[in-house]
């Protein structure tokens, strides 16, 4: 089984079982590539200070998961992730709205358990930032993640 992605309720940081780095707000972009090289998928540099690093090969709540880290001027500000549930209904190569709703419900339940609070429909605010799992109508997909303040 692939290593699991989990969140710490005290500071919203994420960890991957067996990997020593804590993914948290303010983490330097230079600290990430060597620690997560076996999970690396791609980089997208927007040329405006924002850069996204994408990774795969982990699980969240026991299901396959991919995640992306957002850096602004070299400092981590967000972590987005998606989960592939078993028997996901697909139409024309894309998850159906029902499958997306199932993913959102699963992520909210698991994220609520890990963060020890209920994740509200439009996200929940913490001293360290915000956590959410909601439907993105523009992308017609689930949108889940954490955004760090400060």
């Amino acid at each position: 089984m692939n290593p699991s992605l989990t969140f710490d309720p005290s500071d919203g940081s994420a960890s991957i079982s067996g990997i020593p780095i804590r993914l948290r707000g303010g983490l330097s972009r230079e600290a990430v590539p060597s620690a997560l090289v076996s999970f690396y998928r791609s980089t997208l540099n927007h040329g405006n200070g924002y850069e996204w690093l994408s990774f795969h090969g982990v699980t969240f709540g026991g299901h396959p998961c991919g995640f992306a880290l957002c850096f602004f001027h070299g400092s981590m500000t967000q972590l987005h992730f998606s989960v592939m549930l078993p028997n996901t209904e697909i139409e024309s190569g894309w998850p159906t709205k029902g499958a997306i709703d199932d993913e959102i419900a699963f992520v909210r339940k698991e994220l609520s358990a890990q963060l020890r609070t209920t994740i509200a429909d439009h996200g929940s605010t913490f001293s360290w930032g915000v956590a959410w799992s909601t439907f993105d109508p523009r992308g017609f997909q689930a949108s889940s993640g954490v955004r760090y303040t400060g």
Side-chain angles (χ1 to χ4, degrees), residues 128-142:
W128 47 260
V130 177
W132 73 90
S133 184
T134 189
F135 178 66
D136 173 2
R138 288 183 9 184
F140 200 81
Q141 63 187 355

Side-chain angles (χ1 to χ4, degrees), residues 7-109:
F7 292 89
D8 184 326
S10 68
D11 61 4
S13 64
S15 60
I16 299 170
S17 54
I19 305 298
I21 194 169
R22 306 264 319 160
L23 304 171
R24 56 178 170 65
L27 179 69
S28 167
R29 191 236 183 266
E30 288 77 33
V32 173
S34 61
L36 300 178
V37 66
S38 61
F39 306 103
Y40 178 76
R41 185 169 205 154
S42 65
T43 298
L44 177 60
N45 188 332
H46 289 280
N48 62 357
Y50 284 96
E51 183 175 15
W52 289 86
L53 301 180
S54 297
F55 303 89
H56 63 160
V58 299
T59 62
F60 180 77
H63 297 290
C65 171
F67 66 98
L69 307 178
C70 177
F71 294 87
F72 183 63
H73 295 296
S75 182
M76 188 172 141
T77 60
Q78 299 180 56
L79 184 156
H80 292 199
F81 65 98
S82 62
V83 177
M84 178 58 86
L85 297 177
N87 304 315
T88 296
E89 187 179 347
I90 304 291
E91 285 180 2
S92 302
W94 296 95
T96 64
K97 177 66 165 73
I100 293 167
D101 290 343
D102 290 346
E103 177 182 346
I104 292 166
F106 171 79
V107 169
R108 281 186 190 164
K109 181 178 178 185

